[in-house]
Amino acid sequence: MVPTRVLAGAAALLAAACVTAAPAAAAPLPSSLTLTATTDGHAPHVVELTCDPVAGNHPDAELACYQLAQVDGDIATMPGTEAHIFCPMIFQPITVTADGLWRGRPVTFQDKYTNSCERDNKTGNLFRF
């Protein structure tokens, strides 16, 4: 007959081995983008956005990173604003670009919108700076 203390010790060693054998959570791959918004006839506005952890000089980096995470960094598929806002018919073209990495994958995006309202309807908070 095996003593109870021996069984308890063996169970504790087995539990410790299982805990240490579990793979550690991998750190997120880099997510860092340079975002540019240029209204025709004006100097470009440029901000840096880093996610995981959130950093950079984007005015609402946390929301921008959250919105990017929702589409896994695919800016072309961003849902934009939750309730599409009726935009005034003001023609003030704005071009936006994004270059960098999303979780280790290269990101290159460029598009042109009639005005900043249309841009926000298409890209949410990402280019709102």
Side-chain angles (χ1 to χ4, degrees):
M1 181 137 231
V2 179
T4 305
R5 286 191 302 190
V6 172
L7 288 176
L13 286 173
L14 180 59
C18 290
V19 169
T20 58
L29 293 172
S31 295
S32 181
L33 298 170
T34 299
L35 306 171
T36 305
T38 308
T39 303
D40 284 3
H42 294 86
H45 291 99
V46 181
V47 299
E48 299 295 326
L49 176 66
T50 301
C51 303
D52 304 320
V54 175
N57 61 344
H58 190 288
D60 197 350
E62 190 170 322
L63 180 57
C65 287
Y66 173 78
Q67 290 174 338
L68 277 170
Q70 296 299 304
V71 295
D72 196 26
D74 186 359
I75 298 168
T77 64
M78 289 186 78
T81 55
E82 289 183 22
H84 288 278
I85 299 167
F86 177 75
C87 293
M89 296 180 67
I90 297 171
F91 185 71
Q92 191 173 23
I94 186 166
T95 302
V96 298
T97 63
D99 290 296
L101 294 173
W102 176 257
R103 297 185 176 160
R105 291 188 325 263
V107 170
T108 301
F109 175 83
Q110 180 175 343
D111 209 343
K112 189 168 191 168
Y113 304 99
T114 305
N115 55 41
S116 59
C117 179
E118 181 190 11
R119 172 205 63 199
D120 295 346
N121 273 345
K122 303 284 185 182
T123 62
N125 192 64
L126 187 62
F127 295 102
R128 195 176 297 162
F129 48 83

